[in-house]
Amino acid sequence: MAQEQGIAKVDLTYIFKAVMMGNSLYSDNWEKGVLYLTNLNLWFSEGGGWSTIPLQNITMIGREVTDSIKMKAQRSIGTSHVLIIDYVQASSVIQGATSPAVALLAGNEAVINTLKTYLQPICGTPAKKQSLSDIDKKLLYMLYTGVNDLQKLAFFTGADSQTLSDSFKSLRDQKLCDNSGTLTEEGKKQIMEMM
């Protein structure tokens, strides 16, 4: 087993377990503390102890931060530079299962960008992973509900056929759906994160 080695220690403001629904933030319990990054874990100082997120439990680094989250962070802590970390934790409901969780890190822009750039490759999040546009999200949801007729999609999303075609290509390129519009496991996972 690998020995834990320190990589970086940073003073940040964070929410270790943020309450989010879709892209809306319902938490406001920002905490000033130390983030300690090792080759195995992210350590968060909490009160007199530490909370950890094993790097292997991180599912995504750097999901797109919405304007509402930036504004909430700016109002609460004085910065809009936020890094979203999606991870899984042991479920409190089902023994042996995991449940999704979100940590928000906020601080100096250079520090946040450096953490993001460093964590993406070691946590398996491709650095080039593009975020979904509003049309991509609508199309993904429509495909999830079984709607794949072009006219109905155009009506429901309010997009023209070229925009839908580009969005469909984007979803396919990100392996969220196949050529027939059926969602892949990754696509279903993305939908669950959006809901």
Side-chain angles (χ1 to χ4, degrees), residues 87-102:
Y87 64 101
V88 292
Q89 63 182 0
S91 172
S92 56
V93 182
I94 303 168
Q95 188 174 352
T98 59
S99 61
V102 178

Side-chain angles (χ1 to χ4, degrees), residues 146-180:
V147 177
N148 58 11
D149 175 78
L150 190 59
Q151 287 182 318
K152 288 179 183 171
L153 288 171
F155 175 77
F156 286 128
T157 61
D160 59 66
S161 58
Q162 183 59 52
T163 303
L164 280 173
S165 174
D166 293 345
S167 179
F168 184 64
K169 181 182 181 323
S170 170
L171 294 178
R172 271 196 337 256
D173 290 350
Q174 293 184 58
K175 302 196 179 354
L176 299 177
C177 71
D178 62 19
N179 289 336
S180 68

